[in-house]
Amino acid sequence: MAEKNPNLCLLYGKETYFLENVLKKIKKDFGDLIKGINYITLDQTNVQVLISEIQTPAFGYEKKLILARDTGLFKKAGKKTKGSPSEWIGKVAEYLEEHQEEMKESVVLVFVEEEIDKNELYKTMDKIGTIQSFAEEKPAQIVARLKSICQAYEVKADQPTLAYLVEMCGTNMQELINEIRKLIEYAGKGGTIDKKAVDLLCTRKPDSVIFNLTDYLGKKEIANAFRVLQDLKYQKEPTQLILIMLYNHFKKLYYTKKAVEEGCQDFVSLLNLKPNQEFLVGKYRTQAGRFQTEDLRGLLESLADLDYQSKQGTIDIDIGLESILCQYCA
């Protein structure tokens, strides 16, 4: 078997913080980059010139770095319309395999994608190049990383507070780095990050806010539920999107409720949770316990009906949503 080409790489995944760090190292190791000469960037709009760029010498330089980002070349091949990425998947795969030896001396080719399908080009890359995936880490790993960052700046933060930060802001490391920087600046050297600071300074993920809203509904605290709803609107979340998020959330609560009643234990698969979201199982089970099965079914029917009626123009979506919440809490 031929030795793999270390200059032929595919980096993919949703954990962009670590992916971009690897990409920065590749650029640094490459040396001086002159865009258009020895540094070429491609995307879905111009991926058709990839082979041509590989064949074109880096005039005055030993090698060229080609960065092909979000090209669509690693998706399942659809209809091969002229100029579409599907037209080029097979051509690029064939070219890379046939010219891999000569490319070792002249080109560093890096593909960067968020999501991939294991299509023909992926299999070629796996055979002759290197592939690195960057999945979002589990909360415990993220908390450990955040704690080490705080320690480096001599700021205190305990495990429950950092776990709360992850719960509120999600598991994307780049976004969490931005949030922890704000908190470190606010606390100052020798200071302490607490939950109050997280609530004050950090931008919550809409999904986290929906959990809060549902908590208040489960307790039938309509004033607090309305406050959270208004906070979502203040963050410029469209009411239609809030309606969809609420519907999907109540659907998961309904599935959870039925699963508990039927003795099902595989909640991760049932709720379609990613490995780094397994901690949400407890939250869904706790919330589901605050509702009756028939109430959850009724809420789902009311939200679906509101979606239909608002699209028909027979009801204002804001008034309709507030009415549904009030009716349930009454």
Side-chain angles (χ1 to χ4, degrees):
M1 183 182 288
E3 183 180 347
K4 289 192 175 187
N5 183 352
N7 294 333
L8 187 55
C9 310
L10 166 61
L11 313 176
Y12 75 92
K14 293 190 175 181
E15 186 42 84
T16 56
Y17 177 75
F18 298 115
L19 187 155
E20 293 298 332
N21 280 343
V22 170
L23 188 56
K24 285 177 186 176
K25 186 177 185 306
I26 291 173
K27 290 180 179 179
K28 182 178 179 182
D29 291 345
F30 186 87
D32 292 335
L33 296 172
I34 310 299
K35 198 162 186 179
I37 305 295
N38 73 339
Y39 177 46
I40 308 298
T41 57
L42 304 175
D43 57 27
Q44 188 166 340
T45 64
N46 59 357
V47 68
Q48 66 273 14
V49 302
L50 173 58
I51 293 174
S52 173
E53 286 292 353
I54 293 172
Q55 295 170 334
T56 304
F59 298 101
Y61 294 89
E62 183 181 349
K63 288 184 179 180
K64 68 160 62 174
L65 170 61
I66 300 176
L67 174 58
R69 186 188 290 268
D70 299 326
T71 61
L73 289 175
F74 291 89
K75 299 296 182 184
K76 289 180 181 176
K79 188 177 180 181
K80 295 185 179 181
T81 57
K82 188 171 183 180
S84 71
S86 295
E87 182 187 12
W88 289 91
I89 292 171
K91 292 179 181 179
V92 172
E94 182 181 358
Y95 183 88
L96 295 182
E97 185 154 14
E98 290 181 356
H99 298 83
Q100 56 180 300
E101 288 303 317
E102 59 198 76
M103 285 176 61
K104 286 180 182 179
E105 306 301 323
S106 60
V107 174
V108 175
L109 173 59
V110 182
F111 293 102
V112 176
E113 302 285 340
E114 182 175 316
E115 295 180 345
I116 56 97
D117 293 314
K118 295 185 178 180
N119 61 9
E120 181 183 355
L121 180 54
Y122 177 92
K123 291 173 183 175
T124 298
M125 288 291 299
D126 192 35
K127 178 180 176 183
I128 67 174
T130 60
I131 297 176
Q132 285 184 265
S133 63
F134 298 85
E136 291 182 341
E137 294 185 323
K138 293 187 176 182
Q141 296 170 300
I142 295 171
V143 166
R145 289 186 183 277
L146 295 176
K147 192 167 185 64
S148 67
I149 293 171
C150 291
Q151 289 171 341
Y153 285 91
E154 299 181 42
V155 171
K156 299 170 188 172
D158 60 23
Q159 191 273 344
T161 300
L162 294 174
Y164 179 69
L165 172 64
V166 174
E167 189 177 316
M168 294 300 101
C169 301
T171 54
N172 183 279
M173 198 63 196
Q174 183 59 68
E175 293 175 2
L176 286 169
I177 290 289
N178 295 336
E179 299 296 346
I180 202 68
R181 282 174 177 161
K182 289 191 289 187
L183 292 166
I184 287 171
E185 288 291 330
Y186 180 76
K189 187 175 180 180
T192 301
I193 296 171
D194 56 20
K195 286 187 177 181
K196 184 183 287 188
V198 174
D199 288 334
L200 177 66
L201 297 174
C202 295
T203 304
R204 293 188 174 203
K205 286 282 189 184
D207 287 348
S208 167
V209 182
I210 291 294
F211 263 110
N212 280 0
L213 174 56
T214 313
D215 264 337
Y216 288 129
L217 287 176
K219 299 172 185 175
K220 300 206 171 183
E221 297 178 6
I222 188 61
N224 286 326
F226 269 28
R227 177 178 54 79
V228 175
L229 180 61
Q230 292 307 314
D231 285 344
L232 275 170
K233 293 179 181 179
Y234 180 75
Q235 293 174 23
K236 309 269 187 220
E237 293 292 346
T239 306
Q240 184 68 42
L241 179 58
I242 296 172
L243 173 62
I244 293 169
M245 289 191 294
L246 267 175
Y247 181 86
N248 288 333
H249 189 80
F250 278 119
K251 184 165 66 174
K252 288 184 177 180
L253 292 183
Y254 179 75
Y255 288 163
T256 301
K257 188 79 175 178
K258 294 291 287 182
V260 170
E261 291 172 352
E262 296 169 7
C264 173
Q265 296 299 318
D266 189 7
F267 292 96
V268 173
S269 298
L270 176 71
L271 300 173
N272 195 28
L273 299 176
K274 299 175 184 176
N276 63 351
Q277 295 177 316
E278 291 179 11
F279 72 98
L280 292 175
V281 170
K283 294 189 69 174
Y284 279 115
R285 292 193 63 170
T286 299
Q287 281 200 345
R290 297 196 177 111
F291 295 86
Q292 299 299 317
T293 305
E294 56 270 22
D295 290 335
L296 290 170
R297 190 185 302 114
L299 281 164
L300 287 171
E301 290 172 356
S302 296
L303 292 169
D305 184 61
L306 173 60
D307 179 61
Y308 175 78
Q309 295 292 341
S310 64
K311 288 175 180 175
Q312 297 299 309
T314 58
I315 189 171
D316 178 84
I317 190 169
D318 290 283
I319 294 173
L321 182 56
E322 291 177 3
S323 176
I324 290 171
L325 302 187
C326 285
Q327 287 171 11
Y328 172 74
C329 289

